[in-house]
Amino acid sequence: MSDVPDAVVIVAAAAAALAHRFRPGKVIQEVRPWWILPAVLIPVSARAPGFLDPGRPARSVALLAAGALLGAAAGAVWARTTHLWADSSGAFRARGGRATAAAWAAGTAAGAALYGLAVLGGVRYAGQTMMLVLALALLIRAGAVALRARTAKAPATA
């Protein structure tokens, strides 16, 4: 798959994640639902050759590791800035706010900077790598919010 379809997949996944995360929604604490989008993105990102630049494998691996760390950090910050509360039934709800939007923007800017470093270093930084970083951020964010909801105490109802 070329970079244009990769870009379409990345933008569609990011738009779906953002649209879902900025509306109040019930936090699903079961294992299955929160990893569906990352579970689709990860195999799609690793599906074809070209994941690493064969001409500069060391730089390519370093950029992939930096991207993975960036994705994990962005997901953790995004989860931390997500507002979590219990409704009257005791179910936890989550919604992103201004801090979440700022965290998302900072993560996106850092990803763009990493892409810029790749270009300056002459390394092919494929859309597949960006897709993997997005999947990691979504996975960390969803898991951390689910964990926060699982360990939080719901208000006592009379």
Side-chain angles (χ1 to χ4, degrees), residues 63-85:
L63 284 168
L64 179 60
L69 289 173
L70 171 66
V77 171
W78 191 13
R80 185 69 187 122
T81 60
T82 298
H83 179 65
L84 187 67
W85 73 96

Side-chain angles (χ1 to χ4, degrees), residues 3 9 13 15 18 25 29 37 73 94 107-108 122 126 133 139 148:
D3 285 340
V9 169
L18 286 172
Q29 297 173 22
L37 186 58
T108 303
V133 169
L139 188 64
R148 281 179 56 203

Side-chain angles (χ1 to χ4, degrees), residues 3 53 56 59-60 63 110-127 130:
D3 285 340
D53 186 347
R56 294 179 175 81
R59 288 181 186 175
S60 189
L63 284 168
L114 193 60
Y115 180 78
L117 285 175
V119 170
L120 288 174
V123 179
R124 177 166 168 22
Y125 194 72
M130 290 182 223

Side-chain angles (χ1 to χ4, degrees), residues 16-70:
L18 286 172
H20 182 261
R21 302 309 189 261
F22 285 97
R23 289 188 315 247
K26 188 174 182 181
V27 176
I28 301 171
Q29 297 173 22
E30 300 167 7
V31 175
R32 183 176 29 96
W34 56 265
W35 57 262
I36 291 174
L37 186 58
V40 170
L41 288 175
I42 290 170
V44 169
S45 70
R47 81 208 167 284
F51 193 70
L52 296 175
D53 186 347
R56 294 179 175 81
R59 288 181 186 175
S60 189
V61 168
L63 284 168
L64 179 60
L69 289 173
L70 171 66

